[in-house]
Amino acid sequence: MSIDVFGLGQCSLDYVGKFETYPSPDIKHEFHEMVIQGGGPVATALVALSRWGLRCYFSGIIGDDAFGHSVRSSLIQEGVDTGGLLVRKGESSQFAFIVAEPSKGRRTIFWRRPTGKPPGPEEIDSTKLTQSKVLHIDGLFIEAALHAATIARRAGVQVVVDAGTLREGMLELAALADAFIGSETFARALVGDDNPVEACRKLSALGPSITSITLGPRGYVALYDGRVIQKPARQVEVLDTTGCGDIFHAGITYGLVRGWEPEKSLDLANWAAAAVSTRLGGRTGIPSLSELRARGFA
């Protein structure tokens, strides 16, 4: 069976707690709600894409611990093929605990990367990859990501990069990307100040046909075909911003699979990301396929 989206990157188990305000040091601080669910930029994007009717395959690593079991189960339950999920014996899986502050419209993430060896280029299923329509990556495992993106480009598979942090190798990855979407943090590190349009231009010069910078409550900036688009975030009652960027990227990937014009993909991304922020956790508020259809997105 062919694959719509081949994902390579992070998968995590997230504990997300709701706090009225961020606590000061050396006190006890009560929180009021908590959810435990799978997380990680690529893994969460694939969950959204699977709910939206696409066939998704995930490649990443977990440990042989209880967290890893939960991460794998969460993906399988969402219909994501975990054939590329590698288990590192005796190692620990990626984990995060997250402080959500609805009153501030923000969240703080404390995370531990997986302790196991990163996926090697030889562990990427190139057959599965070349049978896909889109490769969706986040660049954490940069050697494997560059290898996969190179294979994808040669095979005519479109490449989407979720760039949360300006890590080593990310600009090389941009040169292999069709769509490169960075965070506000990434853009500041790239150009040295708050100038997301300049960041888009600098990234576009490397080769991607679509570049974009997500700006949280300020929405996003994007550049394609020489045209700059800047739109504000959708106005919603924000509970938790965990996963908003992941779902924004999922919207871009969905549009590429469907062959849409970039602006329609960006509109889906912006709307879906806002919807996620109204619920606790990065996956709880992902809009359903029926909701996409009602808004003309499916």
Side-chain angles (χ1 to χ4, degrees):
M1 180 184 295
S2 63
I3 298 166
D4 292 312
V5 182
F6 185 112
L8 168 63
Q10 299 178 59
C11 57
S12 173
L13 188 68
D14 292 352
Y15 282 50
V16 186
K18 176 183 171 184
F19 291 74
E20 292 303 321
T21 58
Y22 193 87
S24 56
D26 200 27
I27 63 170
K28 294 180 179 180
H29 197 90
E30 183 179 5
F31 63 89
H32 304 285
E33 297 178 37
M34 185 178 77
V35 297
I36 302 173
Q37 58 186 219
V42 169
T44 296
L46 293 191
V47 166
L49 293 165
S50 181
R51 291 185 190 181
W52 298 342
L54 300 188
R55 297 179 296 273
C56 299
Y57 179 94
F58 181 72
S59 185
I61 61 168
I62 54 174
D64 58 348
D65 53 2
F67 288 168
H69 174 77
S70 295
V71 168
R72 180 192 290 276
S73 296
S74 72
L75 291 170
I76 291 173
Q77 289 168 7
E78 295 285 357
V80 176
D81 185 339
T82 58
L85 185 56
L86 306 167
V87 180
R88 302 304 195 203
K89 299 295 184 181
E91 302 292 347
S92 299
S93 303
Q94 184 169 323
F95 171 73
F97 58 94
I98 301 167
V99 176
E101 296 176 85
S103 63
K104 302 287 187 179
R106 66 187 184 189
R107 52 65 178 129
T108 304
I109 300 177
F110 301 86
W111 72 289
R112 180 196 64 194
R113 68 180 61 216
T115 62
K117 176 187 172 185
E122 73 284 354
E123 294 178 294
I124 304 303
D125 190 330
S126 58
T127 300
K128 292 278 190 184
L129 175 54
T130 55
Q131 292 173 346
S132 306
K133 296 176 182 176
V134 175
L135 169 66
H136 188 102
I137 48 182
D138 60 25
L140 180 65
F141 310 124
I142 192 62
E143 185 179 0
L146 286 167
H147 175 75
T150 299
I151 291 174
R153 291 288 288 188
R154 289 173 181 166
V157 176
Q158 297 181 93
V159 179
V160 176
V161 179
D162 174 343
T165 303
L166 182 55
R167 300 185 177 95
E168 182 179 353
M170 292 301 287
L171 298 185
E172 290 84 350
L173 207 53
L176 296 166
D178 295 276
F180 192 99
I181 302 95
S183 69
E184 192 171 6
T185 300
F186 179 97
R188 285 179 181 273
L190 180 66
V191 300
D193 62 7
D194 184 17
N195 192 338
V197 173
E198 178 58 26
C200 284
R201 294 192 190 282
K202 189 169 184 177
L203 291 166
S204 182
L206 297 174
S209 56
I210 303 170
T211 58
S212 181
I213 301 299
T214 57
L215 302 171
R218 293 192 289 157
Y220 72 89
V221 169
L223 174 66
Y224 65 90
D225 293 335
R227 178 186 174 199
V228 174
I229 292 180
Q230 184 164 5
K231 292 188 179 181
R234 296 288 185 116
Q235 293 301 303
V236 295
E237 186 173 343
V238 175
L239 178 59
D240 173 24
T241 59
T242 303
C244 292
D246 309 338
I247 305 307
F248 189 96
H249 294 81
I252 302 298
T253 296
Y254 186 86
L256 286 177
V257 171
R258 296 300 189 207
W260 291 352
E261 290 296 315
E263 190 163 3
K264 183 175 180 180
S265 302
L266 288 161
D267 284 344
L268 167 59
N270 199 29
W271 168 72
V276 168
S277 75
T278 65
R279 304 288 296 277
L280 196 63
R283 298 182 181 176
T284 313
I286 296 172
S288 67
L289 181 57
S290 61
E291 289 176 294
L292 263 65
R293 287 174 176 153
R295 290 180 173 265
F297 289 127

